[in-house]
Amino acid sequence: MGSGDSKLHFRKAVIQLTTKTQPVEASDDAFWDQFWSDASTTVQDIFALVPAAEIRAVREESPSNLATLCYKAVEKLVQGADSGCSSEKQRQTGAELHAAAHPHPANLEEDDGEDEARPLAELLLLAIADLLFCPDFTVQSCKRKSPDTVLDTQAIDSCEYIWEAGVGFAHSPPYNHVHDMNRTELLKLLLTCFSEAMYLPPSADRKSVNPWVSFFCSSENRHALPLFTSLLNVVCAYDPVGYGIPYNYLLSSDQREQLVVHVIQVLIIALEHEGVARASLQVLGGISPSAAVGQQEPAEAENLFVNYLSRIHRDEDLSFMLKGLTQLLNNPLVQTYLPHSAKKIQFHQELLLLFWKLCDINKKFLFFVLKSSDVLDVLVPILFYLNDARADQSRVGLVHIGVFILLLLSGERNFGVRLNKPYVLRVPMDIPVFTGTHADLLIVIFHKIISSGHHRLQPLFDCLLTVIVNISPYLKSLSMVAANKLLHLLEAFSTPWFLFSSPQNHYLVFFLLEVFNNVIQYQFDGNSNLVYAIIRKRSIFHQLANLPSDMASIQKALQQKKRKSGLSRSGSVTSEAADNSRVPVAAEPRMFNASLEATPGIDKITEKAQVSEEGTMVSVSDVPPTVGTSDTESNSDRDHEISHARSETTSGQPSAISASAPWSANPDWVTSWKVKLPLQTIMRLLQVLVPQVEKICIDKGLTDESEILNFLQHGTLVGLLPVPHPILIRKYQANAGTAAWFRTYMWGVIYLRNVDPPVWYDTDIRLFEIQRI
């Protein structure tokens, strides 16, 4: 009864706030106390009792009342932080006040009549930081105190209260689910404060950094180091399975999982590092940066989260981070005898984003990942997610981030070398059974993405093939299954109607030919399966070499395209049966999806590097286009052409075919790239080996391919092939286009994950569109 009366009073206060014609004085404590006088009010209650429409009505009709409400709410948080939430009522108020600010994150502006040294936004962020290390509220108290003792929060050394053991901290505090709940609510409030980015239109040219993030991660926040350490350690130490008791997750709620989800979200948002000047939060208070510092430009505020992450270097810390992340990434793949008996986490998109940030910011971590076979514990779950999500429109972004990570890893030699380890772990995936290596697994999954993936994955084809090109010089023994998949892709991409359908489709053929050249030149011994597949499918290479370029042939090929019901640069260009496997179930009705930015072209997100004889990478400058006389020159020319063609035809759009593009194939265009096809090495191989294989088959009457493979295994092409070309690697490079893509994807994931309560629902989101699929 009392609880219902309190909610009634709260509701009446909200109505009064929206209907009063005169501003409510800030000194009217009797009125304002109605909003936080009831300790039983929950976050969900706040959202139910304060509809978004009424918040907007207050903003339009009584802006001063809204401003005062914000001030009073922040004031309560500051008081609670200063006193260390010494009473139960203050602790409850602190947990629920985050909801009062949720519906209007952009309205915490400085009041004209308030003479505060700091803008309200800064006070709010500092209060949140203090509350995140408040003894007996969010952390376990290290010292005993009497009930009458007033805690001086400013005297607390928060480094003693780090939430979890791990990097830089050896003590693991006892688990307290109430503390986890309070931490979670504060982190939700922090995400709301950071969400300014969602209300700005997407732009690759955006130079400003989120001022809320900038301030919170600066030296102004005295808790920056222990908070960063707490967040990182909580994620990497989280074990969703625990002691492994079957179905334990169904018997009790796991507050730690909810905390971990919001910890990761705060981390990936806080780890901004675009190298531009940070704006002070005084801008939010109506003070220009120049005016605040005497007309001088503000100095760049260092993001301490980025700084601390970049400086982690001890092997035990890097091992702790990698082990924790790989355990979480592999969690959905774990099989048990009892169906659904083990807890399965669902926040792998955030995990992949965090892994990307760690590799991007801390190169020591990236090289630590690559120097051992542990990198395969990252590869397998990524391939699992790619395969599982390939036909699901709602998870197109997940496929993108997975492929971007593999592109980043493939730029390093160690990744290609590690892929030669046999693949013996049988993860439940709908792929052909094969005996081979992790490289075979990668190629088989990539083939499935191209051949049976969602059409919105078309812009990733270049990226997928670039990964295979980067690893190809190091692949010692491809299986027959993987070899046939590569030849099938070449067969599909080299059909005349497909080549003539787009000004960029022929690049896919160049990538695949480069893969074959790398294997033949550097890993001929041991790759008899691929050599045999090339010999069997030799007609593909002869047809490419003799590709007709006259106008009549071009028109005839394009007529074939029309008969194929408009098939374009999509997975359906490959006509091979999908290995008798099921296609992943598409998104269910009533699911929502956030739109994504266009994927930058492969030429925009990579830079070329040659591998020297010592194994080191040497940057390669662009080579002027020349008529190809060798496979090496053709590769360089092709990269130059890709950049030139994209700038002329796509204007930054995805590499899918544009129906309205004023372009059509002509003989000069076909000839311009046909003469540069890197066929010299393959044609020489066929010239030498085909007669030998045919002779053996005739002389011995061979019909069993195993004997032919045995012959090829013991054969050699030493001295018969052209001089080996330098190994060319295309390494990922950061750029404005991918930064905009990651920003949009990151906030889209966070928006869709925070639906209870629906923090940003029905607000004017401009960074992306929410689509019902």
Side-chain angles (χ1 to χ4, degrees):
M1 182 72 179
S3 175
D5 289 342
S6 298
K7 290 179 175 59
L8 182 61
H9 290 311
F10 185 99
R11 180 63 190 144
K12 287 181 177 178
V14 173
I15 295 174
Q16 286 180 305
L17 196 67
T18 59
T19 57
K20 279 183 178 291
T21 55
Q22 298 297 321
V24 182
E25 296 296 330
S27 58
D28 188 354
D29 292 336
F31 174 80
W32 296 111
D33 283 347
Q34 296 177 91
F35 288 100
W36 32 77
S37 59
D38 180 21
S40 66
T41 307
T42 65
V43 175
Q44 284 72 20
D45 291 337
I46 298 291
F47 274 83
L49 295 169
V50 191
E54 294 189 11
I55 288 289
R56 295 191 180 97
V58 175
R59 183 186 62 191
E60 299 301 324
E61 304 297 332
S62 306
S64 61
N65 284 347
L66 179 60
T68 306
L69 176 63
C70 293
Y71 269 109
K72 300 297 285 188
V74 174
E75 181 183 60
K76 282 293 180 182
L77 279 176
V78 172
Q79 289 173 355
D82 288 343
S83 65
C85 286
S86 54
S87 70
E88 179 62 32
K89 182 176 179 180
Q90 279 185 321
R91 285 193 284 270
Q92 176 65 27
T93 302
E96 71 186 44
L97 268 177
H98 91 274
H102 268 304
H104 36 262
N107 289 322
L108 295 178
E109 298 186 357
E110 189 171 12
D111 187 84
D112 294 337
E114 188 75 18
D115 185 21
E116 290 285 349
R118 286 188 180 278
L120 188 64
E122 293 188 1
L123 294 174
L124 173 60
L125 291 177
L126 293 177
I128 295 171
D130 285 339
L131 288 169
L132 286 169
F133 290 98
C134 183
D136 298 322
F137 179 59
T138 50
V139 294
Q140 196 78 21
S141 178
C142 296
K143 302 174 183 178
R144 292 186 177 181
K145 64 179 189 295
S146 65
D148 298 329
T149 303
V150 177
L151 181 66
D152 182 5
T153 56
Q154 297 302 312
I156 288 178
D157 180 4
S158 49
C159 287
E160 298 178 3
Y161 293 88
I162 290 173
W163 298 353
E164 189 57 75
V167 176
F169 195 67
H171 173 62
S172 184
Y175 173 72
N176 186 312
H177 77 279
V178 175
H179 292 173
D180 275 7
M181 290 173 60
N182 293 336
R183 293 166 178 170
T184 300
E185 295 305 323
L186 287 166
L187 292 176
K188 288 181 181 179
L189 173 54
L190 202 54
L191 281 173
T192 309
C193 294
F194 289 170
S195 64
E196 176 194 73
M198 284 201 282
Y199 298 93
L200 301 174
S203 172
D205 301 324
R206 201 177 84 181
K207 300 300 181 184
S208 62
V209 170
N210 189 321
W212 296 79
V213 175
S214 177
F215 177 82
F216 191 79
C217 298
S218 73
S219 57
E220 295 280 356
N221 179 3
R222 68 188 184 93
H223 303 292
L225 175 57
L227 181 56
F228 166 76
T229 307
S230 296
L231 300 179
L232 183 63
N233 290 354
V234 161
V235 174
C236 296
Y238 176 54
D239 180 6
V241 177
Y243 293 109
I245 301 174
Y247 304 107
N248 66 320
Y249 67 98
L250 297 177
L251 303 176
S252 61
S253 60
D254 183 3
Q255 295 296 337
R256 181 50 58 101
E257 180 184 11
Q258 290 302 311
L259 174 63
V260 170
V261 169
H262 289 91
V263 160
I264 298 181
Q265 292 173 358
V266 168
L267 264 179
I268 58 180
I269 296 301
L271 290 171
E272 287 192 3
H273 70 120
E274 296 180 33
V276 295
R278 313 294 198 201
S280 168
L281 276 181
Q282 289 172 327
V283 175
L284 297 176
I287 304 174
S288 68
S290 57
V293 291
Q295 301 302 320
Q296 295 180 354
E297 288 297 318
E300 180 176 336
E302 182 178 30
N303 185 320
L304 294 181
F305 278 42
V306 173
N307 179 280
Y308 296 143
L309 175 57
S310 67
R311 288 161 53 189
I312 298 174
H313 64 280
R314 298 192 309 168
D315 278 0
E316 53 265 42
D317 291 338
L318 299 174
S319 176
F320 167 74
M321 293 159 58
L322 178 58
K323 181 180 178 182
L325 289 175
T326 54
Q327 177 177 319
L328 291 175
L329 285 171
N330 282 277
N331 168 267
L333 285 63
V334 175
Q335 300 181 73
T336 55
Y337 289 106
L338 297 174
H340 310 296
S341 62
K343 183 181 179 66
K344 304 289 188 182
I345 60 172
Q346 302 296 324
F347 52 91
H348 38 272
Q349 295 190 84
E350 291 96 323
L351 282 169
L352 291 176
L353 280 165
L354 179 60
F355 182 82
W356 173 269
K357 293 273 188 179
L358 298 182
C359 291
D360 191 31
I361 295 172
N362 190 320
K363 297 306 178 188
K364 295 185 183 70
F365 177 76
L366 173 61
F367 295 135
F368 183 85
V369 171
L370 289 164
K371 78 177 185 180
S372 73
S373 294
D374 290 342
V375 68
L376 302 179
D377 293 332
V378 176
L379 170 73
V380 173
I382 289 178
L383 293 177
F384 172 85
Y385 298 138
L386 295 185
N387 181 63
D388 190 55
R390 70 181 190 275
D392 187 343
Q393 180 181 348
S394 69
R395 293 190 288 172
V396 166
L398 169 62
V399 178
H400 277 72
I401 179 64
V403 173
F404 285 152
I405 289 175
L406 297 182
L407 177 64
L408 176 69
L409 296 176
S410 73
E412 304 298 333
R413 175 183 179 274
N414 275 1
F415 181 66
V417 173
R418 298 299 171 197
L419 291 181
N420 289 303
K421 184 175 180 180
Y423 173 66
V424 293
L425 176 68
R426 293 303 170 190
V427 174
M429 287 190 278
D430 55 322
I431 58 174
V433 176
F434 69 91
T435 300
T437 65
H438 285 75
D440 296 313
L441 177 66
L442 181 145
I443 290 171
V444 167
I445 298 296
F446 279 18
H447 175 270
K448 289 189 75 70
I449 294 173
I450 294 173
S451 63
S452 61
H454 194 274
H455 69 87
R456 288 180 60 194
L457 298 179
Q458 295 170 19
L460 282 179
F461 287 4
D462 289 344
C463 207
L464 291 165
L465 294 186
T466 297
V467 173
I468 300 178
V469 171
N470 283 347
I471 65 174
S472 59
Y474 312 110
L475 305 184
K476 295 183 179 299
S477 179
L478 285 175
S479 69
M480 186 62 77
V481 171
N484 286 333
K485 297 301 182 188
L486 290 175
L487 266 298
H488 173 248
L489 288 178
L490 180 66
E491 184 176 19
F493 290 146
S494 62
T495 55
W497 71 263
F498 181 75
L499 288 172
F500 301 154
S501 296
S502 162
Q504 298 170 12
N505 282 354
H506 63 283
Y507 303 143
L508 302 177
V509 172
F510 275 83
F511 279 126
L512 286 166
L513 292 177
E514 190 173 346
V515 169
F516 299 140
N517 288 332
N518 282 338
V519 174
I520 293 168
Q521 292 279 19
Y522 289 97
Q523 301 293 344
F524 180 82
D525 295 337
N527 269 298
S528 56
N529 288 326
L530 182 63
V531 173
Y532 178 63
I534 290 174
I535 291 174
R536 284 185 61 233
K537 293 287 188 177
R538 58 188 178 275
S539 60
I540 302 173
F541 303 97
H542 292 298
Q543 288 169 6
L544 267 176
N546 298 298
L547 184 72
S549 57
D550 60 281
M551 202 64 208
S553 299
I554 293 174
Q555 292 296 332
K556 182 179 179 181
L558 292 175
Q559 288 298 319
Q560 287 183 320
K561 174 194 173 184
K562 293 179 180 178
R563 288 196 296 271
K564 292 179 181 290
S565 303
L567 295 179
S568 62
R569 184 177 179 173
S570 68
S572 50
V573 70
T574 59
S575 56
E576 185 183 74
D579 307 309
N580 297 319
S581 61
R582 65 175 181 86
V583 174
V585 179
E588 294 180 1
R590 299 185 302 280
M591 289 184 65
F592 292 95
N593 187 35
S595 63
L596 292 169
E597 280 289 275
T599 309
I602 192 67
D603 57 300
K604 297 293 192 303
I605 64 175
T606 58
E607 59 182 357
K608 298 188 294 294
Q610 279 188 4
V611 181
S612 67
E613 293 182 0
E614 295 79 21
T616 57
M617 296 284 187
V618 181
S619 180
V620 178
S621 58
D622 284 336
V623 180
T626 58
V627 176
T629 57
S630 73
D631 292 341
T632 307
E633 290 181 359
S634 299
N635 295 339
S636 299
D637 294 346
R638 187 271 316 283
D639 288 335
H640 182 87
E641 278 189 25
I642 290 178
S643 178
H644 182 68
R646 285 194 191 281
S647 63
E648 287 191 346
T649 62
T650 63
S651 302
Q653 295 301 310
S655 58
I657 300 169
S658 172
S660 60
W663 176 91
S664 61
N666 60 70
D668 290 341
W669 171 77
V670 175
T671 303
S672 69
W673 55 261
K674 177 185 170 183
V675 298
K676 298 171 186 174
L677 285 169
L679 289 166
Q680 185 180 5
T681 298
I682 297 172
M683 288 305 193
R684 183 58 178 156
L685 176 146
L686 293 174
Q687 183 183 14
V688 173
L689 292 181
V690 169
Q692 295 181 14
V693 170
E694 290 178 340
K695 185 175 187 300
I696 291 175
C697 290
I698 294 172
D699 291 348
K700 297 187 177 182
L702 293 182
T703 56
D704 185 1
E705 68 178 19
S706 62
E707 298 219 23
I708 301 173
L709 287 170
N710 185 58
F711 164 74
L712 293 175
Q713 285 172 357
H714 296 89
T716 180
L717 293 178
V718 174
L720 299 176
L721 295 178
V723 176
H725 56 275
I727 296 176
L728 192 66
I729 302 295
R730 293 164 185 83
K731 296 170 66 72
Y732 170 83
Q733 62 172 354
N735 63 93
T738 51
W741 188 93
F742 275 105
R743 185 185 304 115
T744 305
Y745 174 59
M746 182 167 58
W747 277 110
V749 169
I750 292 173
Y751 178 99
L752 294 171
R753 293 276 290 168
N754 288 273
V755 294
D756 184 25
V759 180
W760 299 287
Y761 178 73
D762 198 27
T763 62
D764 187 21
I765 303 296
R766 303 179 67 191
L767 183 63
F768 48 80
E769 295 179 1
I770 297 298
Q771 306 150 337
R772 187 183 293 271
I773 57 175

